Amino acid sequence: MHPRVQAVTDRIIARSQEHRGKYLAALAEARAKGVHRSSLSCGNLAHGFAACQPADKDSLRQLTKANIGIVTAFNDMLSAHQPYEHYPELLKQACNEVGSVAQVAGGVPAMCDGVTQGQPGMELSLLSREVIAMATAVGLSHNMFDGALLLGICDKIVPGLLIGALSFGHLPMLFVPAGPMKSGIPNKEKARIRQQFAEGKVDRAALLEAESKSYHSAGTCTFYGTANSNQLMLEVMGLQLPGSSFVNPDDPLREALNKAAAKQVCRLTELGSQYSPIGELVCEKSIVNGIVALLATGGSTNLTMHIVAAARAAGIIVNWDDFSELSDVVPLLARVYPNGHADINHFHAAGGMAYLVWQLLDAGLLHQDVNTVAGFGLERYTKEPKLLNGELSWVDGPTESLDSEVLTSVVKPFQSNGGLKLLKGNLGRAVIKVSAVQEQHRVVEAPAVVIDDQNQLNELFTSGQLDKDCVVVVKGQGPKANGMPELHKLTPILGTLQDRGFKVALVTDGRMSGASGKVPAAIHLTPEALDGGMIAKVHSGDLVRVDAEKGELSLLVDEQQLAARSADKVELRSVRYGMGRELFSALRANLSSPETGARSTSAIDDYY
């Protein structure tokens, strides 16, 4: 193992010892109760299988055959989740073929950040992760199941499913992806038209035409945002079958992988031959593996919160220092939009997951000695699935990249580090992703332009007030304030200013997330304004320094002057009422800081 990766892992293990011990003890206690259906009364059990076919009823009466719960995030408004419509019947059939039963345990909500971007609904986005976790727990709460299949892909859905699943960590569970849509117009062209629209050079019809050619069919969006980062993370953590993340929805291989996932989870139950509960698979080493893979590919900054929250649900304590130290030694091996012009299909074709895992294992950057849903040892994930004579097989993956502009080697990386930095200073702690930021733009010292609503920036831009070097400071966007919406409406404007030759940066207690691009953005700033963060004292005209090279984030104002200032009041009513936002007030008030996962504080903190 690389000494730095091992040192970070050892530190996480030591830090988590007490909490992880309590979590594993809880799993052992739950497992000791055996097949849970055996504890149900006759009335309970009769309700549980009342709608089943006669053969499945007989199987469930016997208590000797596995019953697999399906938790699905299907809706046909999300392109990524539309393929899930017919998955349950396919998965049930596959379970039947190995003598088991499957039932849909429940559904979870699935919202699309792409649809809600810049809209009031985006202020429910991060909060939906907690709702999904709770809905997953409700679905699995009937004591009817010996294992589960989790159907989810996008932004908050995968982390929510994982957090909920870990509350039932004594059960084996396996994620079933649906794959990305096929490639549309080039990402470079899409970005060009977005920026032209921001400058008023093309109209809305032209913009909509470009967007429609990019997001054009069923499947995950093809850029490397949070959804595809989720899939990569799950696979490297061993929670999906090898090579299953980026197979297109209509590929015959996709159906074969889905069936294989259903059969495999049956083998992983206590009634099978390879008992592997998800609470044991998610361990300190697998968490580190997930972080390393994300850093090596320039993955979504949303995962700096989601991994922390999911790890905590398994009694594992991770912080941004861990991310930053790993980023220093993990080289960037992938260039996928917004960190390049290729999309996730190009990444897959260039060698994809098998090549990536092989490179990172060979360099000692991933822990090989972990258990996975495919069996012990991460080297299983250096193989890729193929249909050979109609049968699913795994063969050795490529040992050379098939497109060195998209996927490269550890020997010739795109850059020597993962591009994620921890920023620290009198403004607090924030993260910045610089894998798409050119070196000459990584240090910005300029006067602040302070706003508390992303929609205010367009008026400043069109009036010419932003034609200067500036650090745009967007405050009042943290978890407790308004649910921490993503602020991607800022991206085209800031990109245009940078292209005009101005030095620009963004500082916010909100999110930019998976599509963070070429403009330096200090995001997830903690403490947030509502929690007394220094960002609430920044005035327009104050000098702010964002230094992604040294890891500095400073407000260059005299300390005595700052001490005399009162924090600006954060206006909240307009972002807490309407569009259902008023229903989430209790949840919003209990969210923790971004560095601790922006998660709902609950009894889990006392128990684990």
Side-chain angles (χ1 to χ4, degrees), residues 114-244:
V115 175
T116 58
Q117 198 63 251
Q119 304 298 318
M122 173 55 86
E123 288 156 11
L124 301 182
S125 176
L126 182 60
L127 300 171
S128 75
R129 186 190 68 189
E130 309 305 296
V131 176
I132 291 163
M134 291 185 284
T136 302
V138 170
L140 296 174
S141 67
H142 297 94
N143 272 357
M144 284 289 294
F145 306 112
D146 305 290
L149 294 165
L150 306 173
L151 278 54
I153 293 172
C154 290
D155 298 59
K156 267 52 70 182
I157 299 142
V158 161
L161 286 169
L162 182 54
I163 293 167
L166 288 167
S167 291
F168 291 79
H170 61 290
L171 298 179
M173 302 194 201
L174 201 152
F175 280 82
V176 185
M181 66 178 70
K182 293 181 179 178
S183 301
I185 65 169
N187 285 304
K188 186 177 182 180
E189 176 67 6
K190 177 179 67 176
R192 183 184 70 83
I193 294 174
R194 284 180 174 178
Q195 194 157 306
Q196 283 190 330
F197 177 76
E199 296 177 79
K201 294 179 178 178
V202 300
D203 61 14
R204 184 178 177 83
L207 177 65
L208 181 58
E209 180 66 16
E211 297 288 358
S212 298
K213 288 180 178 178
S214 177
Y215 310 113
H216 59 89
S217 67
T220 314
C221 303
T222 58
F223 72 93
Y224 192 40
T226 307
N228 287 319
S229 295
N230 282 338
Q231 301 309 297
L232 180 135
M233 172 196 72
L234 289 174
E235 188 165 327
V236 178
M237 287 180 66
L239 300 179
Q240 287 182 170
L241 291 180
S244 64

Side-chain angles (χ1 to χ4, degrees), residues 226-458:
T226 307
N228 287 319
S229 295
N230 282 338
Q231 301 309 297
L232 180 135
M233 172 196 72
L234 289 174
E235 188 165 327
V236 178
M237 287 180 66
L239 300 179
Q240 287 182 170
L241 291 180
S244 64
S245 294
F246 304 123
V247 177
N248 300 127
D250 59 353
D251 192 319
L253 181 58
R254 176 84 274 153
E255 182 173 321
L257 285 165
N258 297 341
K259 290 180 178 178
K263 294 177 180 179
Q264 182 65 4
V265 78
C266 295
R267 299 185 189 102
L268 301 181
T269 68
E270 277 208 290
L271 298 172
S273 57
Q274 306 166 33
Y275 177 61
S276 300
I278 190 171
E280 292 181 6
L281 266 58
V282 176
C283 64
E284 294 91 342
K285 289 182 178 180
S286 68
I287 290 290
V288 170
N289 283 349
I291 295 173
V292 167
L294 286 163
L295 294 169
T297 52
S300 168
T301 52
N302 267 332
L303 276 296
T304 63
M305 294 186 294
H306 297 326
I307 286 181
V308 172
R312 190 66 180 81
I316 300 167
I317 302 173
V318 181
N319 61 35
W320 287 346
D321 291 300
D322 302 324
F323 279 83
S324 189
E325 286 194 36
L326 290 171
S327 183
D328 287 342
V329 299
V330 174
L332 184 68
L333 304 185
R335 285 286 190 198
V336 187
Y337 184 82
N339 304 323
H341 300 314
D343 67 21
I344 203 67
N345 292 313
H346 301 136
F347 167 83
H348 184 64
M353 296 301 300
Y355 176 80
L356 175 72
V357 173
W358 176 74
Q359 278 287 313
L360 294 173
L361 276 175
D362 190 59
L365 294 167
L366 291 176
H367 293 281
Q368 188 280 142
D369 55 335
V370 291
N371 202 4
T372 76
V373 295
F376 185 79
L378 197 62
E379 75 277 358
R380 294 173 182 271
Y381 286 75
T382 65
K383 298 183 179 295
E384 57 184 14
K386 299 286 185 182
L387 279 179
L388 303 177
N389 298 319
E391 296 294 325
L392 178 62
S393 301
W394 272 268
V395 302
D396 290 339
T399 55
E400 292 186 7
S401 171
L402 302 179
D403 187 341
S404 59
E405 293 184 4
V406 177
L407 193 55
T408 188
S409 66
V410 172
V411 177
K412 297 180 179 180
F414 293 118
Q415 62 184 47
S416 60
N417 57 63
L420 186 76
K421 294 283 289 188
L422 171 63
L423 301 179
K424 296 182 289 185
N426 63 349
L427 275 171
R429 289 164 67 90
V431 293
I432 187 169
K433 187 171 84 171
V434 295
S435 47
V437 179
Q438 295 181 10
E439 289 188 13
Q440 66 267 30
H441 300 308
R442 294 181 181 180
V443 179
V444 177
E445 184 177 307
V449 174
V450 180
I451 58 177
D452 56 15
D453 183 339
Q454 63 177 325
N455 294 302
Q456 295 169 343
L457 196 68
N458 189 58

